[in-house]
Amino acid sequence: VAEDKSQSNTVVPLGEELLHNVTLLLNTHESQLRTSSYMVKSTERKIVSLEEECNEMINRKEGIDNRITKMKFAVEVLGEAEKLIDAMSTMMKDNDCEKLDFAMDGLNNILAKLYDNFSKEERKSLNFESTLVPSIVQPVIEAVISSLNPLAIELTWMDHLATGIDKLCIAVGSDSEAYSLREMIFTDIIVPWISTAMNSSKWDPVVNVEVGLKTHEALLTCVDKSFLGAEVEEN
């Protein structure tokens, strides 16, 4: 009888056992749910990160494709400059001003295409001012003046030059880039051309001093007209 009583005292009630088992299951599933939730959130963050990387790569590819397209366009424009030089070498114009106007109009069309298709940031990255534009403008203008004697040019020719430069600067648009273009044309092309002629043994500064003075005055008038006219427009 005593043994039966002790055994009855150690038996766990069915309700408590069920409660224990249910609690154990709940704790186990709760832990699993927490782990699953963490994995889901972690996966979602990875998906967002991958989408951002994918979009960034797409944008980079589009930027590279756009750059390639524009570089091809720039090469085509350079080809147009070469065609312009070839056309000038075969043109049958006796009037020096007409030759100059033809060249400047061609350059105007070329620069307009370039500056309309490239942003200011792109022009800066491609060294428009220091490299690309001079490589287009300089050969064309040099092709015009190669057969001319600067000591025999008329003031009218210099007027046409100033007018042509103004048109180029309008195509460029930006004031700072336009100023660089004017400076490049005079400093790197026109002034050396005239200086070379004046330093030549073919010109006697004593006998033909009037010719030199006339050329010098024509150059100054052209420079004043170009630069001072630009300042008036800006103001």
Side-chain angles (χ1 to χ4, degrees):
V1 176
E3 290 179 359
D4 293 338
K5 290 182 178 180
S6 64
Q7 289 178 356
S8 63
N9 290 334
T10 59
V11 173
V12 177
L14 181 61
E16 290 184 9
E17 184 178 357
L18 288 174
L19 179 62
H20 172 74
N21 292 337
V22 169
T23 302
L24 181 62
L25 286 172
L26 286 175
N27 290 337
T28 301
H29 286 298
E30 182 180 4
S31 177
Q32 291 176 346
L33 285 173
R34 290 179 182 275
T35 303
S36 299
S37 175
Y38 173 80
M39 292 179 65
V40 168
K41 290 180 179 180
S42 177
T43 303
E44 288 176 346
R45 287 195 295 269
K46 288 181 180 179
I47 291 174
V48 171
S49 178
L50 288 172
E51 287 178 346
E52 290 176 351
E53 291 181 6
C54 182
N55 291 332
E56 184 178 351
M57 292 179 67
I58 291 173
N59 291 333
R60 285 182 180 178
K61 181 180 181 301
E62 290 177 351
I64 292 172
D65 290 342
N66 182 55
R67 190 178 179 85
I68 291 173
T69 300
K70 291 198 171 185
M71 289 303 297
K72 289 181 178 179
F73 177 77
V75 171
E76 292 177 1
V77 173
L78 287 171
E80 291 184 20
E82 293 178 1
K83 292 178 181 179
L84 176 60
I85 295 175
D86 292 339
M88 288 166 51
S89 64
T90 58
M91 66 187 300
M92 304 297 293
K93 292 184 181 292
D94 297 327
N95 188 301
D96 293 333
C97 289
E98 290 182 1
K99 291 181 180 179
L100 176 61
D101 291 342
F102 178 81
M104 299 304 272
D105 287 343
L107 282 176
N108 181 60
N109 292 333
I110 290 172
L111 293 186
K113 289 182 180 179
L114 283 175
Y115 282 82
D116 286 344
N117 284 276
F118 289 86
S119 67
K120 191 170 185 178
E121 291 73 20
E122 290 171 334
R123 298 198 297 268
K124 185 176 181 180
S125 67
L126 292 173
N127 298 319
F128 261 48
E129 288 185 34
S130 61
T131 305
L132 185 58
V133 172
S135 69
I136 294 173
V137 174
Q138 191 162 344
V140 173
I141 296 181
E142 287 178 347
V144 174
I145 64 178
S146 61
S147 60
L148 298 178
N149 178 6
L151 300 178
I153 59 174
E154 298 292 336
L155 182 59
T156 304
W157 190 91
M158 284 292 190
D159 287 337
H160 280 250
L161 176 63
T163 300
I165 293 174
D166 287 342
K167 290 181 180 179
L168 297 185
C169 291
I170 292 173
V172 168
S174 167
D175 292 339
S176 61
E177 290 173 297
Y179 185 91
S180 297
L181 177 59
R182 295 177 196 273
E183 186 177 35
M184 183 272 294
I185 292 175
F186 284 108
T187 304
D188 297 342
I189 306 173
I190 302 302
V191 172
W193 171 54
I194 294 176
S195 297
T196 299
M198 287 186 167
N199 292 326
S200 173
S201 59
K202 295 180 180 180
W203 178 63
D204 188 338
V206 176
V207 177
N208 298 317
V209 63
E210 292 296 330
V211 174
L213 289 174
K214 179 182 177 182
T215 302
H216 182 71
E217 291 174 357
L219 174 61
L220 290 179
T221 300
C222 181
V223 172
D224 287 343
K225 180 179 179 181
S226 183
F227 282 92
L228 294 180
E231 292 180 0
V232 170
E233 289 179 1
E234 291 174 8
N235 296 329

